[in-house]
Amino acid sequence: MPEPAIAWRPRGAWAGTAQPGAFGAKGEPGVVATPLDGFGLATLIAAPGAAADLSRMVEARIGVSLPERPRIVSGRGNDVIWCCPDQWLLRAATREGFAAILRDLSPHAAVSDQSHARAALRLTGPRVRDALAKGVMIDLHPDAFAVGDVAITSVAHVGAQFWRRADGPNGAVFEIMVPRSFAGSFWSWFVGSAAEFGCEVSASG
């Protein structure tokens, strides 16, 4: 008798982990966390001496040049995030049409789709810097880490890349990205760090 077919269902990187609700201290939350799902993500690596050509192609395709230092730049629903010399992350708000962008760029760079390989959070709130300071070995003071700055570091022994967005209604806004397989470990650290200040977890962004 044939085995019954298994229906595989896609799951977000934070499914079963970062659930909407609140935890920690009561009252107004000091930290607000929004899991980010459904984005397209790819690494772009320029061939030796070809970064300028790749930057021109990226600008023609999505309207921004490749940053030459640790910065994030945005245009036409896409972000380009510096990783190291001649290497970037390209992130799209949705995966619709993302494969076509990667096809256009593939003659000009080594392109690897990472859309299902990373987990990302948006963090804000009046105490967000205090929560992050428990594990992020980067000076997050506004004068030291400006809007658009990018850093690559480790948080609770988990490799992480994060950047600062434009401030929102709740103050500074950071986005942090970790390998998907370490999302549970990172979340365990984050819960312990943010609980002191009270944290609200919103629905996926």
Side-chain angles (χ1 to χ4, degrees):
M1 189 172 181
E3 295 271 340
I6 298 175
W8 297 102
R9 298 177 181 176
R11 286 165 50 94
W14 301 103
T17 304
Q19 299 299 309
F23 63 83
K26 305 302 182 184
E28 287 295 316
V31 181
V32 178
T34 304
L36 302 178
D37 279 319
F39 54 84
L41 188 73
T43 54
L44 306 178
I45 304 176
D53 290 339
L54 176 60
S55 187
R56 283 191 289 270
M57 183 62 192
V58 170
E59 185 171 11
R61 193 63 175 80
I62 66 172
V64 296
S65 300
L66 297 175
E68 297 180 357
R69 58 190 182 93
R71 298 282 293 173
I72 177 173
V73 295
S74 304
R76 300 182 193 170
N78 299 277
D79 303 312
V80 180
I81 305 155
W82 186 93
C83 295
C84 62
D86 295 340
Q87 183 171 333
W88 302 265
L89 285 175
L90 173 62
R91 185 179 67 167
T94 71
R95 293 174 192 153
E96 183 177 354
F98 190 59
I101 296 175
L102 300 189
R103 282 196 301 271
D104 290 347
L105 297 179
S106 60
H108 307 275
V111 178
S112 177
D113 194 326
Q114 301 287 318
S115 299
H116 300 281
R118 309 287 179 94
L121 282 176
R122 181 177 296 122
L123 304 174
T124 187
R127 304 300 299 274
V128 64
R129 285 188 175 88
D130 296 314
L132 287 173
K134 296 182 182 183
V136 176
M137 301 294 105
I138 301 289
D139 185 353
L140 298 179
H141 189 279
D143 292 339
F145 199 76
V147 171
D149 281 352
V150 171
I152 300 173
T153 185
S154 63
V155 181
H157 306 292
V158 176
Q161 188 167 7
F162 71 97
W163 47 89
R164 184 178 164 200
R165 288 293 205 179
D167 292 355
N170 293 319
V173 178
F174 298 91
E175 291 180 351
I176 190 162
M177 188 176 289
V178 299
R180 181 173 178 144
S181 57
F182 285 91
S185 296
F186 177 84
W187 186 253
S188 294
W189 167 82
F190 175 73
V191 168
S193 296
E196 175 186 356
F197 313 110
C199 181
E200 176 186 334
V201 183
S202 62
S204 297

